[in-house]
Amino acid sequence: MKKLIFAFFLPLTFSATTLAADGKALYTQKLCATCHGAEGKAPIAPMYPKLNGQNATYLLNQMKDIKSGKRNNGMSMTMKPMMAAVSESDMTAIADYLASVK
Ligand code: HEC
């Protein structure tokens, strides 16, 4: 009986992970909070930016530029390696989430 229940729930868990367009969850999973703080509100250092409430399009463009190396100013090199594991659809979901945080 126990096995049956497990077999039933496993596919549900997988599909939830694959469809992860949940920006809030991604923000945590991709470790953004370790530098930018919870909800993008509390960066760990004064030269790290707050992200909440910013325009989604602007956030997305900055993430793309930091990932590609086009933006290479200030402290952006500390963030660049983190972006290797973040796809453009992840960035879009995260940008929408952050823009919605007041
Ligand atoms: C290792 C620390 C670190 C991590 C992890 C990190 N960032 Fe950053 N991020 C920075 C720093 C530092 C800057 C500012 C770069 C500069 O000085 O120009 C920045 C800049 C940004 C900007 C541009 C903000 C602006 O106002 O122009 C966005 C958007 C952003 N980060 C989003 C994210 C997201 C989303 C994640 C997770 C996928 C993430 N960051 C992970 C350190 C980090």
Side-chain angles (χ1 to χ4, degrees):
M1 192 61 192
K2 244 186 186 169
K3 255 187 194 161
L4 247 175
I5 293 168
F6 183 68
F8 177 71
F9 278 109
L10 200 62
L12 285 182
T13 317
F14 272 128
S15 63
T17 314
T18 332
L19 294 173
D22 183 348
K24 186 177 183 174
L26 283 168
Y27 180 80
T28 310
Q29 276 166 27
K30 303 293 181 183
L31 305 176
C32 316
T34 56
C35 290
H36 295 285
E39 302 185 301
K41 286 180 181 173
I44 55 162
M47 62 284 207
Y48 288 16
K50 294 178 187 173
L51 304 173
N52 65 301
Q54 184 56 271
N55 294 326
T57 308
Y58 172 82
L59 290 171
L60 176 62
N61 287 341
Q62 298 318 303
M63 286 185 250
K64 283 200 232 170
D65 287 352
I66 289 171
K67 183 174 181 177
S68 74
K70 206 189 220 180
R71 173 168 165 178
N72 182 16
N73 60 299
M75 302 287 292
S76 55
M77 288 317 278
T78 57
M79 173 165 152
K80 190 171 187 268
M82 305 301 297
M83 298 311 286
V86 186
S87 70
E88 192 166 331
S89 64
D90 291 345
M91 291 182 216
T92 306
I94 294 171
D96 287 344
Y97 157 66
L98 287 169
S100 75
V101 179
K102 297 299 164 210

